[in-house]
Amino acid sequence: MSTTASDPLAALGSLPGVPDAVDSVRKAVDRVYGHRVMRRRSNEVTAEAALRGSRGSAALAGADWSLEEVRRRTDFSGEDEARTVGAALRLTAEAGQLLSIWRQSPLRVLARLHLVAAGGATPDDAVGRPRLAGEIVDEPLIEAPLPGAEEVAGRLEGLSRLIIAGGSAPALVTAAVVHGELLALRPFLSHNGLVARTAERIALIGSGLDPKSICPAEVGHAEQGRAAYVAAFEGYTSGTPEGMAAWITHCGRSIELGVRESTAVCEALQRGAA
């Protein structure tokens, strides 16, 4: 992320196409929050959104299981795909517990997310800390050049300052930058994609856009496909206005698709089918 504006996230909100994406996301979120089912059964919608979001994030990480399989399984040890799905489920469950810390110390939250995701799959001395020079990162989906450890530390500090400072940027812009920056940095030895998508979720909840966590962007990222996800991310890493706008609008579309998923859940609950 590179900009010289005094409020860099707000500046990104004025890129061509981004205001329309922000408006479209806001309207979509307002519609699902206005659904009559949300008055009495919002907890059920939240739980279902968490499950579906976890499935979507795991699919992008290479474990593309059906929702029925994720719902059915109780043991997520063993093979790599099962561990990936288990990590995604743990992260989603943890996300809502970290809001107060996120606003004060985002780096502590990221460390906690990696600890939760790793679940013993990473050497203990590497869990929850940024990688060191020469350490190898396991993130097969993202093949962009890997920043050095010193650059990672500096950019994480910069991201943390932006989150703590707040500002006038729309929630979509902030969440997209958090997601994109963590993917670009890949600060941990493993599970960076899962952590980045969970951090996006936390940013959306904490911003007030999605306080009940019923708009799982991970569903939309997965639905648009891994190729589209990587292509949009390449726009982020380009640092160009066009590339940044493409990434932000991709994230906006992902939220809208998550809204569509939760709207379907609301409709099913209303019919008594879920």
Side-chain angles (χ1 to χ4, degrees):
M1 178 180 62
S2 176
T3 178
T4 58
S6 57
D7 188 348
L9 296 185
L12 293 176
S14 65
L15 292 174
V18 173
D20 288 342
V22 169
D23 185 56
S24 183
V25 165
R26 176 79 266 176
K27 289 177 178 176
V29 173
D30 285 347
R31 282 194 299 271
V32 72
Y33 269 85
H35 197 287
R36 61 186 302 176
V37 165
M38 289 296 295
R39 298 173 195 166
R40 295 184 178 180
R41 305 182 71 178
S42 64
N43 288 344
E44 294 172 70
V45 182
T46 296
E48 193 64 23
L51 185 71
R52 295 176 187 226
S54 299
R55 194 217 72 81
S57 191
L60 287 171
D64 192 2
W65 288 14
S66 68
L67 184 63
E68 292 71 23
E69 178 66 8
V70 176
R71 202 188 301 277
R72 181 188 68 81
R73 287 284 287 265
T74 56
D75 180 8
F76 295 97
S77 61
E79 70 272 24
D80 288 345
E81 287 194 6
R83 289 198 298 270
T84 296
V85 174
L89 289 166
R90 292 192 301 273
L91 283 169
T92 303
E94 190 78 5
Q97 311 302 315
L98 299 172
L99 285 178
S100 60
I101 305 173
W102 176 256
R103 298 184 184 105
Q104 299 171 11
S105 181
L107 298 186
R108 283 179 58 198
V109 170
L110 294 177
R112 173 63 184 171
L113 291 178
H114 187 242
L115 175 66
V116 169
T122 302
D124 288 348
D125 63 349
V127 170
R129 64 152 173 83
R131 56 186 167 80
L132 305 176
E135 290 184 322
I136 297 173
V137 174
D138 178 17
E139 193 62 49
L141 179 59
I142 303 302
E143 298 180 353
L146 197 65
E150 186 173 342
E151 181 181 350
V152 168
R155 286 172 62 176
L156 281 176
E157 285 292 342
L159 181 64
S160 177
R161 287 194 296 270
L162 285 174
I163 294 167
I164 293 170
S168 59
L172 166 61
V173 172
T174 300
V177 167
V178 167
H179 185 170
E181 192 70 353
L182 292 174
L183 273 188
L185 296 178
R186 281 149 287 162
F188 304 111
L189 297 189
S190 63
H191 302 92
N192 288 289
L194 293 174
V195 168
R197 291 184 288 276
T198 305
E200 179 187 43
R201 174 184 283 266
I202 292 172
L204 291 170
I205 300 169
S207 69
L209 177 67
D210 183 21
K212 295 183 182 292
S213 192
I214 62 167
C215 307
E218 305 97 321
V219 167
H221 287 305
E223 185 171 333
Q224 294 185 83
R226 299 178 88 192
Y229 183 73
V230 172
F233 170 67
E234 288 173 353
Y236 180 88
T237 58
S238 75
T240 65
E242 298 79 9
M244 295 293 290
W247 171 249
I248 294 168
T249 55
H250 178 89
C251 291
R253 179 58 179 158
S254 295
I255 296 169
E256 291 185 65
L257 290 170
V259 167
R260 187 178 71 180
E261 189 89 353
S262 287
T263 300
V265 170
C266 288
E267 294 294 330
L269 287 170
Q270 187 168 285
R271 295 191 306 269

